[in-house]
Amino acid sequence: MLVHLDGQLVPTDQARVSPFDRGFVFGDGVYEGLRACRPPNSARRVIALHGHIQRMAQGLDLAGIPWDAQQLGPLTDQLLAANEITDAFVYWQVTRGTPDLSRGPVRVRVPAAAMTPTVFGYCTPLSPIDWANPAPATKRASLQPDLRWLRGTLKSISLLGNVLAAIDAHHQHQAEEALLVRDVAGRQVLTEGTYTNVMLVTADGTLVTPALPGRTPDSPFAPLLAGVTRRLLLHVAPRIVERPIDQHELAAAREVMLVGTTTMVTSVTHIDASPVADARPGPLARALMAALVGAIATGEDERLPG
Ligand SMILES: Cc1ncc(COP(=O)(O)O)c(C=O)c1O
């Protein structure tokens, strides 16, 4: 496999980054995860590329890392062509870079001088999308406390909080994803998964997803990532209601779904030891999966509003 490192395509075993890179020692960087596919009758392309570019540009700006996220498109094309793959997950990370070692201590939090960001990208093959019969996959989930930092909209490479929640979910319940619940002023609100956003069908049949902080007047400050898949689903399935969701609503839910770039729409069969309804993908999961795949097939993902 060839990976991208600082403008070069190199075999994985020849890619070298300084151990003093701030991404390595501080987790000081941002990342994006893209999916490439070939929709029927069209060329290979990245799903909702513009949405990913926008989010990465905002993250880089917040972090003060000078890198032009518009490069994601051409660099991804180059990487996929070099590896001769069409259906792929493509990962990009941009760290603040490596400090000048001759200029003093390297663990200074505030960088002494402007640095050149380190840019790393790789791709791995994925199964092609089933355009004719899109069906939700299934996963088991476990409820875990959301103990992460409060800048959840920034796609930081510092993922220790997500990793520890995923490990606990796996060890306690053999779960493949954690459903994170944050205590906000005594209220237990659902935020997201460790690599997915969450949607559910409530007891009265309403399709809901946790609101982004500040998006509705009663939104508690419970940060979560503005997932590109979540945005695309809100765009193509306007009956999804964004509102705060209390943990107890999960127990009564008719369907619980994970949504994300590689996860697409995946039905949760169990939460901890309890089945969700009949532990199979429900009608709204199937409808959302069909809407998502349909939107990609018709290029609607490229028209996501800003
Ligand atoms: C914490 C978290 N939430 C949600 C998502 C889903 O976002 P997207 O749909 O952009 O892949 C991800 C993706 O990596 C994530 O890490």
Side-chain angles (χ1 to χ4, degrees):
M1 189 190 21
L2 294 173
V3 300
H4 174 113
L5 186 62
D6 293 336
Q8 308 290 324
L9 288 168
V10 287
T12 310
D13 59 1
Q14 288 172 30
R16 296 279 178 274
V17 178
S18 163
F20 292 106
D21 189 278
R22 288 175 64 99
F24 187 57
V25 292
F26 289 142
D28 183 1
V30 301
Y31 78 103
E32 265 308 315
L34 317 176
R35 183 180 193 129
C37 66
R38 183 163 50 213
N41 309 318
S42 72
R44 180 193 66 215
R45 63 181 184 78
V46 170
I47 299 169
L49 175 63
H50 187 63
H52 288 280
I53 290 175
Q54 259 186 343
R55 181 172 66 192
M56 194 178 205
Q58 282 162 8
L60 288 164
D61 192 44
L62 272 171
I65 297 176
W67 193 72
D68 179 7
Q70 293 291 345
Q71 295 187 60
L72 281 185
L75 291 183
T76 298
D77 280 343
Q78 218 180 57
L79 186 62
L80 291 172
N83 285 288
E84 298 178 7
I85 19 182
T86 301
D87 292 281
F89 170 71
V90 188
Y91 176 88
W92 287 102
Q93 86 166 38
V94 180
T95 75
R96 199 177 304 280
T98 305
D100 178 350
L101 302 182
S102 67
R103 292 185 61 167
V106 287
R107 283 193 58 80
V108 178
R109 271 49 168 185
V110 180
M115 274 173 263
T116 305
T118 303
V119 182
F120 168 62
Y122 74 89
C123 57
T124 51
L126 288 178
S127 300
I129 292 171
D130 185 344
W131 303 100
N133 296 299
T138 57
K139 279 194 163 72
R140 298 176 71 100
S142 165
L143 279 183
Q144 296 292 331
D146 192 344
L147 302 173
R148 303 169 305 162
W149 72 335
L150 295 174
R151 296 193 181 195
T153 52
L154 207 171
K155 210 162 159 58
S156 159
I157 61 168
S158 327
L159 287 173
L160 189 57
N162 302 47
V163 167
L164 294 182
I167 290 174
D168 286 346
H170 174 72
H171 285 161
Q172 292 165 16
H173 294 284
Q174 293 75 50
E176 298 147 296
E177 176 59 306
L179 299 176
L180 299 172
V181 174
R182 191 180 283 273
D183 181 321
V184 184
R187 186 174 172 188
Q188 305 300 315
V189 291
L190 176 66
T191 55
E192 59 184 338
T194 65
Y195 56 92
T196 55
N197 288 114
V198 184
M199 298 197 170
L200 56 100
V201 182
T202 60
D204 69 1
T206 315
L207 188 50
V208 294
T209 194
L212 299 174
R215 197 56 78 83
T216 61
D218 66 336
S219 290
F221 192 75
L224 54 116
L225 189 75
V228 173
T229 317
R230 175 187 182 279
R231 267 184 73 196
L232 183 52
L233 284 167
L234 286 167
H235 177 59
V236 296
R239 63 191 163 138
I240 303 169
V241 177
E242 291 180 87
R243 66 160 172 81
I245 297 174
D246 285 295
Q247 175 183 337
H248 65 78
E249 295 185 69
L250 281 169
R254 294 187 195 169
E255 296 183 44
V256 178
M257 289 155 265
L258 308 170
V259 306
T261 294
T262 49
T263 307
M264 301 197 83
V265 176
T266 291
S267 292
V268 173
T269 59
H270 294 78
I271 299 178
D272 296 341
S274 308
V276 178
D278 64 359
R280 286 206 300 254
L284 285 180
R286 291 198 299 269
L288 283 186
M289 182 65 174
L292 179 64
V293 169
I296 300 163
T298 56
E300 198 56 38
D301 58 299
E302 297 188 295
R303 295 184 278 278
L304 258 190

